[in-house]
Amino acid sequence: MNAVLSDPIRLGMIEAGNRILMAPLTRSRASADGVPGRSTATYYAQRASAGMIVSEGICIAPEAIGNPMVPGLWSQAQIDAWQSVTTAVHEAGGVMAAQLWHTGRASHPSVQPEGQLPVGPSPIAIDGLTFARNGRTPYVTPRALDAGEIPQIVGHYASVAANAREAGFDAVELHSANGYLVDQFLQDSSNRRSDRYGGSIENRVRLLVEIVVALVDAVGPGRVGVRISPASAFQDMADSDPHRLFDHVVRVLSEHELAYLHVVEPGIDGWRDARFERTSPIDSGWIRARYAGNIVAAGGYTAESATRAVESGIIDAVAFGRSFIANPDLPRRLIENLPIAEPNRETFYSGGDEGYIDYPVWDESTVRV
């Protein structure tokens, strides 16, 4: 038994029934106009035993979209569809946060309104391929945002956060990780600006702070989480002085009434950077030395390592991602040391109900291991 994981925890204004959270997972089951699919309510309700569900990334505007078939929350049709999801989760005894997402340069004209260029802090392209409307294709060089456009983006975050509350979400999470727009502004490999949003660390962190303030104003203190990935190189992310940058990020976030800080641990997808191996890794332990609030960690945890981390006080809860796909009853399996089923990767983004709502709860005669 991993009893500590079953302990309830208060995350700001959110009462989580246990310390096993469902991490955001893109599943590409929305309609072309960003409305969650017909089975989305079933999918999330099946997983309502999580201490809290963090939704898949929800785009804040048509220009924020980076991949086909991802949901939004700017229209009434989207709000109504998400309300059916949160109602189902609440009726199943769960709580749910909406992860708010702007992909920035990690997009492609084929998924942008009128085929326009995606935007970013600077005209620097990601080296690699993205999921475009007609399959995998190279990233393009983004259009650099004008400083005068940034208040509108901050406003989109605030209005969509208000929409999330209207749709019944208990909290919102700002996606400031994994090489998407806010992370692009933070790190100097993607931000070469010379205005008030670039150059110094304080300037590069400015957008993050402006959005956090707007979100807290929109939904209230204790209902905003922030996700960061200080050690991730995904989507060409790097910084010339990551320790100093994220020391400032964490200390600034400490000044706001967040529900939690969501940290992506080093080593996701097998990646580790020698910079962090030679010095101190920017992991949840490094963050804990600088942040006294709730820390939720994600990345390669098992029941045993999660139990040790929570018992040590380094983190307060653990977010599990892919394990939740094939294990709708994952908290029970982790707490009781039951077998963990493996998901079918071919159905991660395939659309339809296969590999989405057809995974069984634990049963010795049917579980797939």
Side-chain angles (χ1 to χ4, degrees), residues 169-332:
F169 285 99
D170 302 284
V172 298
E173 178 179 288
L174 171 61
H175 196 344
S176 180
N178 302 121
Y180 296 111
L181 183 67
V182 182
D183 198 24
Q184 292 162 22
F185 269 84
L186 293 178
Q187 304 202 50
D188 58 18
S189 64
S190 51
N191 185 346
R192 306 286 175 80
R193 301 174 72 94
S194 58
D195 62 4
R196 65 195 301 266
Y197 292 98
S200 70
I201 286 175
E202 291 76 13
N203 281 355
R204 285 184 275 132
V205 175
R206 189 183 306 277
L207 177 62
L208 169 65
V209 174
E210 289 180 351
I211 295 171
V212 168
V213 169
L215 294 179
V216 173
D217 285 347
V219 303
R223 294 191 182 274
V224 177
V226 176
R227 193 180 212 215
I228 59 173
S229 56
S232 174
F234 181 62
Q235 297 188 141
D236 272 2
M237 296 312 298
D239 191 79
S240 60
D241 194 347
H243 290 84
R244 194 163 70 91
L245 168 63
F246 283 97
D247 178 83
H248 184 72
V249 166
V250 172
R251 294 184 189 280
V252 167
L253 290 176
S254 297
E255 299 171 3
H256 301 274
E257 296 183 74
L258 299 182
Y260 60 90
L261 182 58
H262 190 171
V263 180
V264 179
E265 299 278 22
I268 302 304
D269 291 330
W271 179 85
R272 277 190 184 273
D273 191 314
R275 290 174 300 165
F276 304 117
E277 292 299 305
R278 288 195 300 266
T279 57
S280 60
I282 303 183
D283 57 13
S284 55
W286 190 91
I287 301 292
R288 173 55 77 202
R290 295 156 176 81
Y291 189 78
N294 289 312
I295 295 177
V296 176
Y301 280 94
T302 63
E304 293 74 21
S305 62
T307 296
R308 289 194 300 270
V310 171
E311 287 179 338
S312 73
I314 291 175
I315 63 176
D316 301 283
V318 182
F320 290 85
R322 292 174 183 171
S323 297
F324 259 110
I325 292 176
N327 300 274
D329 56 342
L330 183 66
R332 180 192 173 196

Side-chain angles (χ1 to χ4, degrees), residues 19-368:
R19 295 170 188 255
I20 299 168
L21 276 56
M22 181 176 172
L25 293 160
T26 297
R27 301 306 311 275
S28 300
R29 259 84 175 174
S31 67
D33 54 358
V35 175
R38 60 180 176 82
S39 297
T40 305
T42 300
Y43 168 74
Y44 282 115
Q46 288 174 340
R47 292 153 179 81
S49 63
M52 182 175 71
I53 293 170
V54 182
S55 78
E56 62 206 277
I58 300 175
C59 293
I60 63 167
E63 306 82 41
I65 293 173
N67 305 112
M69 313 309 285
V70 295
L73 196 46
W74 63 81
S75 74
Q76 191 61 51
Q78 294 164 345
I79 294 171
D80 293 343
W82 279 116
Q83 190 164 48
S84 70
V85 175
T86 60
T87 298
V89 169
H90 291 152
E91 288 177 348
V95 294
M96 190 171 184
Q99 190 191 64
L100 308 186
W101 194 23
H102 193 308
T103 63
R105 68 175 184 168
S107 183
H108 187 268
S110 67
V111 297
Q112 288 286 308
E114 300 180 353
Q116 65 192 20
L117 285 173
V119 298
S122 301
I124 302 171
I126 298 171
D127 182 18
L129 301 176
T130 186
F131 288 100
R133 188 69 66 189
N134 295 312
R136 300 279 277 175
T137 190
Y139 286 100
V140 300
T141 300
R143 177 180 67 82
L145 280 165
D146 183 87
E149 297 177 275
I150 292 176
Q152 182 181 39
I153 290 176
V154 175
H156 285 322
Y157 275 103
S159 63
V160 168
N163 290 348
R165 291 292 283 153
E166 180 183 343
F169 285 99
D170 302 284
V172 298
E173 178 179 288
L174 171 61
H175 196 344
S176 180
N178 302 121
Y180 296 111
L181 183 67
V182 182
D183 198 24
Q184 292 162 22
F185 269 84
L186 293 178
Q187 304 202 50
D188 58 18
S189 64
S190 51
N191 185 346
R192 306 286 175 80
R193 301 174 72 94
S194 58
D195 62 4
R196 65 195 301 266
Y197 292 98
S200 70
I201 286 175
E202 291 76 13
N203 281 355
R204 285 184 275 132
V205 175
R206 189 183 306 277
L207 177 62
L208 169 65
V209 174
E210 289 180 351
I211 295 171
V212 168
V213 169
L215 294 179
V216 173
D217 285 347
V219 303
R223 294 191 182 274
V224 177
V226 176
R227 193 180 212 215
I228 59 173
S229 56
S232 174
F234 181 62
Q235 297 188 141
D236 272 2
M237 296 312 298
D239 191 79
S240 60
D241 194 347
H243 290 84
R244 194 163 70 91
L245 168 63
F246 283 97
D247 178 83
H248 184 72
V249 166
V250 172
R251 294 184 189 280
V252 167
L253 290 176
S254 297
E255 299 171 3
H256 301 274
E257 296 183 74
L258 299 182
Y260 60 90
L261 182 58
H262 190 171
V263 180
V264 179
E265 299 278 22
I268 302 304
D269 291 330
W271 179 85
R272 277 190 184 273
D273 191 314
R275 290 174 300 165
F276 304 117
E277 292 299 305
R278 288 195 300 266
T279 57
S280 60
I282 303 183
D283 57 13
S284 55
W286 190 91
I287 301 292
R288 173 55 77 202
R290 295 156 176 81
Y291 189 78
N294 289 312
I295 295 177
V296 176
Y301 280 94
T302 63
E304 293 74 21
S305 62
T307 296
R308 289 194 300 270
V310 171
E311 287 179 338
S312 73
I314 291 175
I315 63 176
D316 301 283
V318 182
F320 290 85
R322 292 174 183 171
S323 297
F324 259 110
I325 292 176
N327 300 274
D329 56 342
L330 183 66
R332 180 192 173 196
R333 298 193 192 212
L334 294 174
I335 293 165
E336 299 182 16
N337 289 318
L338 297 173
I340 305 298
E342 290 294 327
N344 178 2
R345 290 174 176 266
E346 293 182 1
T347 62
F348 279 3
Y349 315 113
S350 61
D353 289 346
E354 182 184 1
Y356 192 54
I357 60 171
D358 56 351
Y359 288 106
V361 298
W362 167 254
D363 182 275
E364 291 184 358
S365 65
T366 61
V367 70
R368 290 175 285 182

